[in-house]
Amino acid sequence: MALLEFVLLKFNPDLSPDVSTPPKGFFDEVVPGLKAVPGIIQLYLGQVIEDPKKWQLIIEWESKEATIAFGASEAPANLQAKLGAVLAEPPVLTELTTYTHNVEGALTAPCTEVCTCWGADEKFHEERMHPFADPVDAFGLSGYHGMARGEFDQAPNPDPSVIAGHASRILLGWDSMEAHMAHKGVDSIIDKHVHLLMSRREKLEMYHVPLNKI
């Protein structure tokens, strides 16, 4: 299990002409600031394949108590100012929650699929996500490394990609995005069970990101 916080970033293109590299200020100012926060265990960062303007930052926390202590300190305002200085627009945060199953396999694979069912009903994770995920996880698909699962209640967010309310998310580790897509539309174990994710939620969002520990 792991307590994870997801932050989607869009860096200011004027600060980083090479779209494959975040601005120098992010690594010089923001990353050291985050690493100095008591309770942060690990940082992961990767560029979203489907939309290279976006970068996924994942923060692994030691405990919810550590996040509360962080929020009560002066550190958030300082870090927000440093982060804001390198971004083109405000970051998109999704709620902190505990992810179960094979978190290591999902996050350390060459490519991580992030699949979120936004606006799901309260029983969706139990009655739809797990029945989809269990057989996929057990099947042993080629190129597959492991899966993590979590659910959370999302606060309102100005970004249209985020829907307030209950959400269910799975993280799947793959050799590559192509390895994942090779199992779609071929009557695979994914195809046989994906119908479970097609109702009782408002939106399904999926993207792929090669994550690196920073």
Side-chain angles (χ1 to χ4, degrees), residues 21-201:
T21 305
K24 185 173 181 292
F26 177 73
F27 290 110
D28 288 351
E29 299 288 339
V30 180
V31 172
L34 286 169
K35 288 185 173 182
V37 174
I40 289 183
I41 299 172
Q42 183 65 60
L43 303 173
Y44 299 85
L45 182 71
Q47 190 172 25
V48 176
I49 294 175
E50 291 88 344
D51 187 352
K53 298 187 299 295
K54 295 180 180 179
W55 289 75
Q56 181 71 75
L57 173 66
I58 300 177
I59 305 170
E60 182 178 358
W61 288 89
E62 185 178 86
S63 65
K64 289 188 176 180
E65 289 76 17
T67 69
I68 293 170
F70 170 70
S73 71
E74 296 180 359
N78 186 34
L79 278 169
Q80 286 169 8
K82 291 178 177 178
L83 183 59
V86 298
L87 295 183
E89 56 188 63
V92 180
L93 284 75
T94 53
E95 300 299 320
L96 179 82
T97 197
T98 298
Y99 288 79
T100 62
H101 295 73
N102 188 359
V103 178
E104 182 77 8
L107 296 184
T108 62
C111 179
T112 300
E113 172 196 350
V114 181
C115 177
T116 310
C117 290
W118 297 103
D121 66 52
E122 293 293 328
K123 293 279 189 177
F124 182 93
H125 197 69
E126 174 188 347
E127 297 178 355
R128 291 301 183 93
M129 188 61 87
H130 284 314
F132 166 77
D134 286 342
V136 172
D137 196 24
F139 191 82
L141 289 164
S142 61
Y144 173 73
H145 289 248
M147 178 191 297
R149 315 176 196 181
E151 62 179 326
F152 52 93
D153 292 312
Q154 178 62 40
N157 192 295
D159 190 280
S161 69
V162 175
I163 296 176
H166 201 65
S168 175
R169 174 176 286 163
I170 52 173
L171 313 171
L172 298 93
W174 297 98
D175 282 345
S176 64
M177 182 176 75
E178 290 75 19
H180 169 215
M181 301 309 287
H183 297 297
K184 298 187 70 176
V186 292
D187 199 32
S188 69
I189 193 73
I190 294 175
D191 295 330
K192 287 179 177 11
H193 292 85
V194 72
H195 68 276
L196 292 164
L197 307 185
M198 295 297 112
S199 61
R200 293 174 56 178
R201 48 80 179 164

